[in-house]
Amino acid sequence: MNMKKATQLALGIVTGVGGFFDIGNLATSAQAGASFRLQLLWALALGTILVIFLIEMSGRFAAVSGKALPDAIREHFGFGFWLVPFLVLTLVHVLVLASEIGGICFALHLLTGLRPAVWALPVAILVWLFLWRSIFSTIENSTSLLGLLALGFVVAAVQHHPPSGELLAGMLPSLPHHDPAKYWLIAVSILGSVMAPYLFYFYSSGAVEDKWDSSYVGVNRGIAFLGMGFGSLIAFAAIVVAALVLAPRGIEVDDYHQAAMMLTDAFPFWGFILFAAIMAIACLGAGIEVSLSMAYTTAQTFGWNWGEDLNPREDARFCLVYTGAIFLSSLLILFGIDPLKLTLFTMAISAFVLPFVAIPFLLLMNDRKLLKEHANGWISNTVAAFLLVLSIVLAVVTIPLVFLGGS
Amino acid sequence: MTGEKWIANGVPTSFVKTTWQSAREDLEQTAQDAAQSKARPAVRESLRDLISQTRAAGSSLRQAAEANDRPGAQLQAGRLAALRQQFEAWKKSVGPP
């Protein structure tokens, strides 16, 4: 492996670590740990294994074909086939973006005491400016490096000395001792937050932006396994911290205020500020990624010019999409929607839409004309088949659980 | 926990205020739900009593934080912790909903 690829691998892993953890992971991890201690670790472990495969496949596809997923799905299956998944993905993009903007606003609320809604428009402008002024590599690397601050959760988890027996028991699925509907809703939401559809669609466009070719298949595999693996370690640590700090005090997270105290036992003076900083940075990074992902998907669906490295004059419609998405999403927070409730609803919806957005992609991964020897082998296809079944089950159970578990 | 952390300089005063505001809204909602429930009057009465005591202690904690009165905040944080235990005992005595 040459120096350039080694650097890309290292940066990719950092991006994976910093980019994995967002408001969905934070909210679902805090709720899972506070309400069910370590009993839901299995959902995170399962989601992580599946997202590693999804990310590996989407990067491999982009590296070998030179095309991003929406572009290829539209070309391969036709516009009519792609229209429904595209509309579903657009709705999820808007909701996830609103959740991320809500997360930044709440972090600023923690630091200043001003209501989250007050921050909605300034945050929208900040996200937009970041996108308008930066090129892809700046966005990718700066937010991911800052996102490493989230490793604070790992340090806190180690300091709390989690019981190893309970940790191991939590890795195996088990039935809840109380609130079964809530337990399953959180499990579904964890899966929705880890396998967020925007992640693998964004990743394939990023690979095209970085001009990957088939020589990057190995680098891509390393990034998918190590980046996503280490990234999930942060979410894992967040569950542990919530389980050891909030659960013993009988605190359940039905408001971000409760989650904000998660790090104050490990870091008595800085814990609160660290939590707010992690929340703000993780959401800023993810917010930028989701905005870009929506612009990539829309531009590729309609065959427009696209690329964060282009001058806005060269891809005006691409820029218009992320501009509109950011301001539309910020309106949800401006009108006072509770950021935590919005996030949990969005994560459940992400799980619900998984079959719509994953099926075309998984079908494409078996196209030997396009991918030749890099098409899915039996291991990837076994995981893909499991994922398809799981995504259909999630789609069926999510909506009833939202009503039962949210009550 | 908020009071305990404020006393230890772990969270700012504005956080105590906003947390209390959000908790008060939840308490009001719970009080409304309790008033409309079909539970026995004695059960509803004991919950209403717990809610009003919690409301008073929370409000006092907020005032103590605003006045930077740490001993006062300590007292209210202790009251809230005791009320929490009473609430858990009440939940156990009532059984699952």
Side-chain angles (χ1 to χ4, degrees), chain A residues 76-155:
Chain A
H76 204 82
F77 297 109
F79 185 82
F81 179 90
W82 171 237
L83 189 62
V84 173
F86 165 69
L87 292 175
V88 166
L89 196 57
T90 302
L91 172 72
V92 173
H93 272 127
V94 171
L95 289 173
V96 177
L97 183 54
S99 303
E100 305 295 351
I101 289 176
I104 308 173
C105 293
F106 201 90
L108 292 167
H109 158 74
L110 289 176
L111 296 172
T112 63
L114 294 173
R115 284 186 309 115
V118 171
W119 292 106
L121 288 178
V123 164
I125 293 168
L126 174 77
V127 174
W128 179 81
L129 267 178
F130 213 113
L131 281 166
W132 188 257
R133 301 288 301 169
S134 309
I135 59 167
F136 185 75
S137 56
T138 314
I139 290 172
E140 198 180 23
N141 301 333
S142 61
T143 56
S144 300
L145 281 169
L146 285 170
L148 290 180
L149 204 60
L151 288 171
F153 276 112
V154 180
V155 177

Side-chain angles (χ1 to χ4, degrees), chain A residues 68 70 86 89 93-94 96-97 100 127-128 130-141 143 198-199 201-207 209-210 284-300 305-310 315 317-326 329:
Chain A
F86 165 69
L89 196 57
H93 272 127
V94 171
V96 177
L97 183 54
E100 305 295 351
V127 174
W128 179 81
F130 213 113
L131 281 166
W132 188 257
R133 301 288 301 169
S134 309
I135 59 167
F136 185 75
S137 56
T138 314
I139 290 172
E140 198 180 23
N141 301 333
T143 56
Y198 85 84
L199 261 183
Y201 277 87
F202 173 76
Y203 188 76
S204 76
S205 299
E209 287 264 36
D210 281 336
L284 177 65
I288 289 167
E289 282 182 8
V290 178
S291 312
L292 269 182
S293 179
M294 182 160 167
Y296 285 141
T297 310
T298 311
Q300 289 159 16
N305 273 357
W306 61 275
E308 184 54 11
D309 293 345
L310 293 179
D315 57 359
R317 286 176 291 192
F318 171 81
C319 298
L320 185 67
V321 173
Y322 69 64
T323 305
I326 292 166
S329 302

Side-chain angles (χ1 to χ4, degrees), chain A residues 334-372:
Chain A
L334 184 69
F335 291 143
I337 290 185
D338 180 87
L340 179 64
K341 288 194 175 80
L342 176 67
T343 305
L344 295 171
F345 174 75
T346 303
M347 294 310 118
I349 293 298
S350 291
F352 173 72
V353 304
L354 210 51
F356 296 95
V357 294
I359 288 172
F361 158 46
L362 295 174
L363 288 174
L364 209 55
M365 288 309 298
N366 281 289
D367 187 332
R368 295 202 176 268
K369 269 191 208 153
L370 200 61
L371 298 175
K372 299 182 182 81

Side-chain angles (χ1 to χ4, degrees), chain A residues 249-250 255 257 264-265 268 272, chain B residues 4-5 10 12 15 18 22 84:
Chain A
R249 292 173 163 104
D255 184 319
H257 284 104
T264 53
D265 276 3
F272 178 79
Chain B
E4 187 192 302
K5 293 294 173 188
F15 182 70
T18 54
S22 152
R84 163 142 212 110

